[in-house]
Amino acid sequence: MERRGEAGGRVCMSQTVFPAHADHRGELSAGQLLKWMDATACLAAEKHAGVSCVTASMDDIQFEDAARVGQIITIKAKVNRAFKTSMEVGIKVTVQDVLTNVEKIVSVAYATYVAKPVGAGKIELEPIKLLSAQDHLEHTLAIERRRIRLGYEQVFENLMLESNKEDTFEDEDAVSTEFTHVQSIELVQPPHANHHGNTFGGQIMAWMETVASISASRLCHSYPILKSVNMFKFWGPSVVGDRLVFNAIVNNTFQNSVEVGVRVEAYNCEEWIKDQARHINSAFLIFNAVNDKGQLLTFPKIKPTTKDGMRRYRGAVVRRRIQLARKCMLSAKEDKPSDPWERSNQAYMSYSNVATLTHLAAKLGWEITSTLDDVKIWTHEEGDVLSLKVEMQVKIPSRLAFSLLSDFTLCQQWDKHVLSCEVLQAVNEDEKIYYVTSLPVTGDKPRDFVILVSQRQPCKPSEPYVVAVKSVTLTSVPPSPEYCRSEILCAGFEIHSESNSNCKVCYFNQVTSGLMPYLVANLTGSSKAIEDTALECIKFLEREGSKS
Ligand SMILES: CCCCCC(=O)SCCNC(=O)CCNC(=O)[C@H](O)C(C)(C)COP(=O)(O)OP(=O)(O)OC[C@H]1O[C@@H](n2cnc3c(N)ncnc32)[C@H](O)[C@@H]1OP(=O)(O)O
């Protein structure tokens, strides 16, 4: 039996899909699924917090596969990380066919819950205890996802400012968005709320899905299928007795999909008379629709008729841009050319930079290749991907090593392969883009790189400092004939504190195919070039360390 706090709250819910849970196609309705996901995740959060929790938000949710009547749904939720008063809960939904036992993923989502005892303020949470390598990995990535979550509005606003161009709507067949406006109302009753009288977040999401799907159906004359949701945020609570008013409207259409925006306002009896709404929730839901043969239907073009409609129309385009950027970044891509550095994908690039390094560092099966007193070299092979780890014992505090290694303009002082290094863009305190030139590997041409360096400080002394590196493409710095443009897929440092005056620096590099022959030869030989560079790095760190 797991006890509270042992490995973060973990909860599992299993359900059989009955006709009452299904839509007209006999598939589990998205609304019902959202209710189960929210309840399971909230229970996991409460298992860790030991007090009542409320849903603050549910990140982008993608629905991969449908579950049908008679199949079995399993929802697993686990607290990945406790921040101060909030927690990230990871949710994985799978469906199993009773006859074949085949299991498929329905959805993977992340939600944030805030510990909020009834009638009291928020409370500070205990950190979760990490038992497995997977727990460690999710714990590290949770803070990266939080950066994206909390920075989303800013990214969105910046992109909206950039996209401030006038759209023209000349298509005569375009449908007015007003035609898709749907309003609905619900009275919150005891079965819709938890034992404290707070409306279930999952229930609100289910009601939103119903209204949004009616709005989308006005355009496709068919039954829309929910594909994804662009973040549910719960701005404020609602309780039993509240009237919830839902307004849904199509914001934009994209060939085979449609974005519907839903706004939820709550009123108690007094507010109802005075027409004083509480805005408790807004979300953007993406649907597609299929014909009898299962082929995707094309949605008609739409035209907004008001200033607000115009803003929502442009907002949908921006959200789609961010969504596509997210998909590109989070899907494992290993080949050139590196992704372009654009406003819409910066948060995901940084996430993917740190996440890829963290994944690499957490891999099992590293094999030791060479050992000196202070330097150990490890390799890792997976299919045709070779990765390298160089472990260095350094007699300076970890914080100092971090500040010296995260400034790439200093790397010429210890890596003799580097010819020059300059900052191209100081994006923010934690992110910089550098232009680096280095000695040729094969042939005569020196190499050049455009790299994103993301640096992260640990939240707790037991966690490492991280400096993650990957190539990016900048349109302002195209490849030039004098240099061979080279790519870094995943590289960087993890710096672990060993004592007040010692640290262990681990350098990682996922070797690109161009460098493979060179490195393999080098590794099976004396590994001398790598060892020499590592020894120079230690010397540099200890020399600089002694000055401060
Ligand atoms: C069994 C089933 C039960 C299901 C439970 C439900 O459905 S509950 C019902 C649906 N949900 C609700 O009714 C909640 C409505 N919303 C609220 O009450 C409030 O907005 C809130 C408690 C979530 C946040 O309150 P405040 O805005 O005062 O709090 P504050 O700004 O200090 O934030 C508290 C913590 O939450 C984080 N936080 C706030 N909004 C966030 C968001 N959209 N996404 C992620 N995290 C968020 C902050 O970073 C902070 O984390 P750190 O402190 O860690 O830095």
Side-chain angles (χ1 to χ4, degrees):
M1 261 278 282
E2 240 171 47
R3 290 204 321 275
R4 194 189 126 213
E6 221 166 54
R10 281 170 209 259
V11 166
C12 179
M13 179 189 274
S14 299
Q15 297 276 358
T16 303
V17 182
F18 288 116
H21 303 132
D23 59 18
H24 58 280
R25 291 183 309 270
E27 288 176 0
L28 172 62
S29 78
Q32 179 60 58
L33 178 58
L34 288 166
K35 280 198 233 177
W36 285 339
M37 286 167 76
D38 179 50
T40 315
C42 186
L43 291 172
E46 291 181 350
K47 192 174 177 198
H48 175 69
V51 295
S52 297
C53 295
V54 292
T55 323
S57 65
M58 225 187 240
D59 291 4
D60 289 2
I61 311 169
Q62 312 286 327
F63 297 97
E64 313 286 344
D65 244 306
R68 300 195 61 79
V69 168
Q71 291 185 316
I72 298 181
I73 284 280
T74 305
I75 303 167
K76 288 188 178 156
K78 172 172 100 71
V79 177
N80 289 330
R81 185 163 189 146
F83 303 108
K84 201 163 151 229
T85 65
S86 67
M87 286 155 275
E88 181 193 275
V89 181
I91 310 162
K92 185 174 173 188
V93 185
T94 51
V95 59
Q96 194 183 19
D97 192 88
V98 182
L99 301 178
T100 60
N101 272 353
V102 172
E103 202 180 54
K104 287 194 220 156
I105 290 186
V106 174
S107 185
V108 174
Y110 297 96
T112 305
Y113 289 81
V114 175
K116 220 165 168 273
V118 180
K122 286 165 279 192
I123 59 152
E124 283 204 22
L125 294 159
E126 294 277 311
I128 63 163
K129 290 198 178 126
L130 306 170
L131 298 183
S132 66
Q134 187 63 25
D135 289 346
H136 276 276
L137 191 60
E138 286 298 344
H139 188 256
T140 308
L141 298 184
I143 200 139
E144 291 302 311
R145 286 188 286 262
R146 178 175 152 102
R147 287 169 84 97
I148 295 181
R149 205 171 283 139
L150 300 180
Y152 186 94
E153 289 307 324
Q154 193 57 54
V155 171
F156 177 78
E157 287 309 326
N158 290 344
L159 284 170
M160 279 297 270
L161 285 176
E162 264 179 25
S163 75
N164 216 349
K165 70 173 179 55
E166 285 300 313
D167 291 271
T168 49
F169 298 94
E170 279 150 12
D171 191 338
E172 298 217 328
D173 296 332
V175 181
S176 160
T177 45
E178 291 310 310
F179 172 70
T180 66
H181 178 214
V182 177
Q183 188 174 76
S184 185
I185 187 163
E186 298 283 350
L187 174 66
V188 181
Q189 299 191 48
H192 305 134
N194 66 11
H195 45 293
H196 306 303
N198 284 95
T199 320
F200 287 127
Q203 177 64 67
I204 299 175
M205 293 193 269
W207 280 328
M208 290 170 89
E209 198 267 332
T210 304
V211 185
S213 102
I214 297 172
S215 171
S217 71
R218 297 255 165 98
L219 280 186
C220 62
H221 310 292
S222 167
Y223 301 102
I225 305 165
L226 183 65
K227 290 314 286 178
S228 64
V229 184
N230 178 284
M231 196 165 319
F232 283 106
K233 274 190 198 162
F234 295 90
W235 300 112
S238 68
V239 292
V240 171
D242 276 346
R243 290 102 179 112
L244 302 190
V245 175
F246 298 79
N247 278 291
I249 195 162
V250 166
N251 292 333
N252 210 333
T253 57
F254 306 95
Q255 186 80 10
N256 298 126
S257 67
V258 57
E259 183 196 278
V260 185
V262 190
R263 180 183 169 95
V264 190
E265 290 173 339
Y267 302 82
N268 63 24
C269 233
E270 212 177 300
E271 292 162 339
W272 193 231
I273 294 168
K274 295 186 191 153
D275 205 16
Q276 265 173 6
R278 281 176 283 132
H279 176 205
I280 57 161
N281 191 302
S282 282
F284 304 96
L285 292 81
I286 314 290
F287 294 87
N288 15 111
V290 290
N291 62 17
D292 299 345
K293 295 183 192 122
Q295 293 156 334
L296 283 174
L297 297 178
T298 306
F299 283 90
K301 290 218 169 71
I302 52 132
K303 57 170 182 262
T305 49
T306 60
K307 212 171 154 208
D308 266 350
M310 202 54 231
R311 178 182 49 77
R312 291 193 293 256
Y313 180 92
R314 288 197 295 112
V317 176
V318 167
R319 276 185 290 276
R320 189 171 154 83
R321 264 182 78 186
I322 300 178
Q323 178 59 27
L324 288 177
R326 175 182 186 269
K327 253 199 179 146
C328 285
M329 287 300 108
L330 303 188
S331 63
K333 276 197 301 136
E334 290 191 346
D335 238 334
K336 305 191 219 184
S338 52
D339 297 291
W341 177 253
E342 289 169 358
R343 250 191 218 289
S344 60
N345 68 5
Q346 288 183 0
Y348 300 111
M349 285 276 234
S350 307
Y351 172 83
S352 126
N353 197 11
V354 177
T356 322
L357 179 66
T358 310
H359 273 285
L360 179 59
K363 277 191 194 297
L364 301 173
W366 287 94
E367 283 182 24
I368 197 137
T369 306
S370 104
T371 53
L372 293 178
D373 276 352
D374 292 334
V375 179
K376 288 189 178 65
I377 300 175
W378 307 72
T379 52
H380 187 278
E381 282 176 71
E382 202 170 20
D384 48 4
V385 179
L386 173 71
S387 303
L388 181 75
K389 171 163 85 166
V390 184
E391 210 178 275
M392 296 168 265
Q393 293 298 332
V394 188
K395 295 187 193 70
I396 63 168
S398 51
R399 164 171 279 282
L400 192 52
F402 170 68
S403 93
L404 291 164
L405 290 172
S406 52
D407 182 353
F408 267 52
T409 57
L410 303 177
C411 67
Q412 253 178 297
Q413 295 189 34
W414 54 270
D415 188 346
K416 65 177 175 13
H417 303 93
V418 176
L419 298 171
S420 70
C421 181
E422 60 174 302
V423 177
L424 290 175
Q425 258 186 46
V427 184
N428 57 40
E429 258 183 20
D430 297 329
E431 248 80 35
K432 286 195 183 63
I433 297 185
Y434 291 88
Y435 178 68
V436 184
T437 61
S438 77
L439 291 174
V441 174
T442 49
D444 305 326
K445 271 197 202 174
R447 295 180 299 151
D448 70 349
F449 302 82
V450 179
I451 51 169
L452 167 68
V453 177
S454 308
Q455 58 187 84
R456 300 285 187 270
Q457 309 217 15
C459 297
K460 291 189 294 187
S462 57
E463 294 171 1
Y465 288 87
V466 175
V467 182
V469 184
K470 71 181 265 172
S471 284
V472 291
T473 301
L474 276 190
T475 40
S476 54
V477 191
S480 74
E482 299 97 86
Y483 290 95
C484 168
R485 176 60 53 90
S486 303
E487 300 274 328
I488 294 177
L489 295 177
C490 166
F493 299 96
E494 275 196 1
I495 304 158
H496 301 260
S497 180
E498 303 253 281
S499 71
N500 286 343
S501 53
N502 287 300
C503 65
K504 182 172 78 185
V505 174
C506 293
Y507 171 76
F508 295 89
N509 195 327
Q510 184 184 321
V511 181
T512 46
S513 47
L515 279 184
M516 195 95 96
Y518 159 81
L519 257 176
V520 172
N522 207 323
L523 288 171
T524 48
S526 66
S527 309
K528 186 116 182 42
I530 301 167
E531 279 169 1
D532 286 351
T533 310
L535 289 170
E536 280 304 316
C537 181
I538 297 173
K539 252 197 242 166
F540 157 78
L541 291 172
E542 292 181 351
R543 188 177 63 235
E544 292 302 310
S546 68
K547 290 184 193 163
S548 50

